[in-house]
Amino acid sequence: MSKWYGNLFAYKLNNKVSEQDIRKVEDHKIREIGQSEKEVSGWDYVLEDSDLYVKVGDAFLLNFRTDKKNIPGGIVKQKVKERIKKLKEQGVEKPNKKEVKEQIENELLKTAFYNTKEVLGYIDNENNLLVINSNSAKDIDAFVDFLRDDTGIELDLDMLEIDFDITETLTEWLVEKQAKEPFELGEDCTLNDSLSGSKASLSRQDLSSEEIDVLLKSGKKVSEVNLEWEERVSFNLTNEFKIKKIKPKPVIGELLSEEIGEDESAYTAYVTSMTIMIADFAQIIQDLLKED
């Protein structure tokens, strides 16, 4: 279950993506970053010894990777200052600061270490979803843009339509001390007062307690709350409709063991786990979007 996504951001997918289309990722595999390059991006293996995508039912799982060199601005500034001073001592009256800076950055790039960031996601043709394991708008946009613009896969996407005020709905659940089925209130929440700006974060608390009542009566509203779904999955839902801190419950581990049986291969374990996750995520989204 360690392979389950920790976050869930989903788009509605209005077109089907074929396996022939998805094979385009093979032409956009991430390459080794060059000495003078600051950043490279591309598709990387979802699993070792596999293709650049993994097919699970009618879904395709992908791993978008970015390698980026980080050169602290303070170091560049100091070296530029030292270089300009040296050039003046050598008789250069007006060194070009822009050119000096570019020279310094190119020199530092050759020996700089790089950081790797991976953003996982999948195209779910059965449930008409594109799901990305991130709550960062920048990472989500990078995944979608590279998939559509650089890789050349047609994606007709829409934001999920939410026909209710999430803040009011989540606050009402706490007031009534009960979430709508099939959800149950968990033990964490964050409450905000939009007028005063005050904030209260509660962890491992009984969300039906008097303390919560006092905070709600003072005018605070829910900005994030922990929920459980079907006694299978725990997650936090924000009033921006972000789903994060996802944790499968023990029953998922038991189900996974039953499904895998005596097959000890990592590939089988991964595909089985993802099959369960993809189905559960689709149903969670559907249940959240239902009107009360």
Side-chain angles (χ1 to χ4, degrees):
M1 292 191 298
S2 61
K3 298 292 185 180
W4 270 49
Y5 292 4
N7 303 287
L8 192 171
F9 185 90
Y11 289 98
K12 180 184 177 184
L13 179 64
N14 298 311
N15 64 295
K16 300 296 182 182
V17 177
S18 68
E19 189 160 4
Q20 182 178 354
D21 290 331
I22 210 71
R23 287 199 185 103
K24 293 178 182 178
V25 301
E26 295 170 353
D27 297 324
H28 297 271
K29 183 182 185 300
I30 190 167
R31 56 176 174 77
E32 185 175 352
I33 191 168
Q35 280 193 337
S36 61
E37 290 183 299
K38 291 184 179 180
E39 181 178 325
V40 295
S41 297
W43 303 107
D44 201 4
Y45 299 108
V46 179
L47 285 175
E48 291 184 10
D49 302 322
S50 71
D51 294 323
L52 287 178
Y53 65 92
V54 173
K55 185 177 182 182
V56 176
D58 203 13
F60 301 105
L61 292 102
L62 299 164
N63 177 15
F64 178 62
R65 172 178 155 185
T66 299
D67 292 343
K68 184 176 183 179
K69 293 179 181 178
N70 294 313
I71 304 174
I75 292 178
V76 174
K77 186 177 181 180
Q78 180 61 33
K79 287 190 174 293
V80 169
K81 184 178 179 181
E82 293 171 356
R83 182 71 57 84
I84 288 177
K85 181 181 178 182
K86 187 175 181 179
L87 288 170
K88 287 182 177 179
E89 290 173 350
Q90 293 173 348
V92 180
E93 292 185 6
K94 295 182 179 180
N96 189 312
K97 188 174 181 179
K98 182 179 179 181
E99 290 182 359
V100 171
K101 183 180 179 181
E102 290 177 354
Q103 291 171 3
I104 294 295
E105 288 179 340
N106 288 333
E107 291 169 8
L108 292 174
L109 282 172
K110 292 177 181 179
T111 57
F113 292 102
Y114 63 84
N115 295 321
T116 292
K117 175 181 282 188
E118 295 182 330
V119 180
L120 302 172
Y122 61 85
I123 294 169
D124 181 356
N125 283 310
E126 180 177 351
N127 297 291
N128 304 313
L129 295 171
L130 170 63
V131 175
I132 302 170
N133 180 19
S134 179
N135 275 310
S136 162
K138 182 179 179 181
D139 290 346
I140 292 166
D141 288 344
F143 186 104
V144 173
D145 290 345
F146 199 91
L147 186 61
R148 180 161 49 193
D149 299 335
D150 293 74
T151 310
I153 295 177
E154 182 182 350
L155 294 174
D156 182 3
L157 301 175
D158 285 325
M159 300 297 292
L160 294 177
E161 295 184 4
I162 305 167
D163 296 328
F164 54 90
D165 186 315
I166 302 177
T167 299
E168 294 298 330
T169 296
L170 296 182
T171 301
E172 183 179 335
W173 289 1
L174 256 64
V175 169
E176 296 180 350
K177 307 184 190 308
Q178 183 177 356
K180 72 172 183 180
E181 294 185 356
F183 301 99
E184 293 183 4
L185 295 175
E187 297 182 330
D188 304 335
C189 75
T190 301
L191 305 173
N192 287 337
D193 188 322
S194 60
L195 296 178
S196 68
S198 61
K199 177 180 176 180
S201 296
L202 298 97
S203 179
R204 298 182 181 179
Q205 296 279 337
D206 179 359
L207 298 188
S208 64
S209 68
E210 184 178 342
E211 180 181 1
I212 300 293
D213 289 338
V214 171
L215 291 169
L216 292 171
K217 288 177 181 177
S218 73
K220 287 183 170 58
K221 295 184 181 294
V222 177
S223 60
E224 183 173 332
V225 66
N226 176 242
L227 300 170
E228 289 191 6
W229 175 78
E230 295 281 13
E231 299 182 349
R232 291 168 65 95
V233 182
S234 169
F235 63 91
N236 281 19
L237 177 65
T238 76
N239 60 356
E240 296 177 333
F241 205 70
K242 292 181 177 179
I243 299 171
K244 57 185 185 178
K245 296 183 179 180
I246 299 169
K247 295 180 181 178
K249 305 292 283 185
V251 65
I252 298 295
E254 297 169 6
L255 179 60
L256 186 58
S257 296
E258 291 176 5
E259 292 287 335
I260 294 174
E262 297 181 0
D263 191 333
E264 298 180 356
S265 76
Y267 184 83
T268 299
Y270 178 76
V271 170
T272 305
S273 181
M274 291 298 98
T275 300
I276 297 170
M277 185 191 79
I278 290 169
D280 279 7
F281 280 9
Q283 191 60 54
I284 287 171
I285 292 170
Q286 183 176 326
D287 289 341
L288 284 172
L289 292 176
K290 288 179 182 175
E291 296 183 14
D292 289 334

